[in-house]
Amino acid sequence: MRVLPAGPHALLVELADGEHAEAFHAELLRRRERGELPAVREIVPAARTVLLDGILDGIHDGTGERTPGARERFARDLASWRVEPPQREGREPVEIPVVYDGPDLDEVAALWGVPAGEVAALHSRTAFRVAFCGFAPGFGYLTGLPERLHVPRRTTPRTRVPAGAVALAGPYTGVYPRPSPGGWQIVGRMPDPGALWDPAREPAALLAPGTPVRFVAVGAGNGGAGALPAPRAGDSPVGS
């Protein structure tokens, strides 16, 4: 673990890999829930880092007085933490319906060494988990595919990927919540992607870090109605 200053009020914690970053993020949330974490406005997990933003000197020592050097002391304290491996809670997964008819399905099948019809079976049998969020509101980076099923990004990115596209890149699976450019390999589509990000809902993002996810293969005429539960308030991503 390496703890680095990031701007005047933030710390960037670098971890060895994604699993360590997930475990560290979970430890931060546990300590904050117990009231043991200094005042931090945002906790933002990423692939191998966690950003702690909004750290103000003197706020997190309980005195209410500004104490120079509080961030530096907090950084030293973070570096001494013992963090347990991530615990896989028994939460029910969010089920996302997918029509597996993406334009890169044949290419992914070739990379996997299976017939195109097997891609849906392999992908939908995988237990996924949201490692972190980013790129666009509601976009989660899902891990779970074994290394033999990791695929490279497209050589030439698309200028427009439609909302709902289910795509793969490296160790990640993602579902595009809105149209945007993108270079991931598209294997399918979510019929109704509006549930991924709903500003009128609390929390707005369906896929928060740590959320278990399962993809469900559906036919082209099936909208997957009823497959998506409303996210719980306690599942809200922090700073995603």
Side-chain angles (χ1 to χ4, degrees), residues 128 141-147 149-151 168-173 184:
F128 288 94
Y141 289 75
L142 280 59
T143 56
L145 284 174
E147 188 172 356
L149 299 183
H150 295 180
V151 298
L168 316 178
Y172 302 114
T173 290
W184 290 27

Side-chain angles (χ1 to χ4, degrees), residues 14-87:
E14 295 182 344
L15 289 308
D17 53 33
E19 185 170 352
H20 284 83
E22 182 181 348
F24 186 75
H25 177 242
E27 180 68 19
L28 286 165
L29 297 184
R30 281 194 296 270
R31 295 193 182 214
R32 184 171 66 177
E33 186 175 349
R34 296 196 301 257
E36 300 172 0
L37 188 69
V40 176
R41 187 176 68 247
E42 287 189 289
I43 302 173
V44 187
R48 291 183 295 275
T49 63
V50 179
L51 178 70
L52 301 161
D53 196 11
I55 305 169
L56 300 178
D57 281 351
I59 296 290
H60 50 70
D61 59 7
T63 66
E65 298 179 0
R66 292 194 175 274
T67 308
R71 184 180 65 158
E72 288 71 21
R73 290 193 298 276
F74 184 32
R76 290 194 297 270
D77 185 41
L78 288 173
S80 69
W81 281 10
R82 291 189 59 184
V83 178
E84 298 296 324
Q87 299 177 0

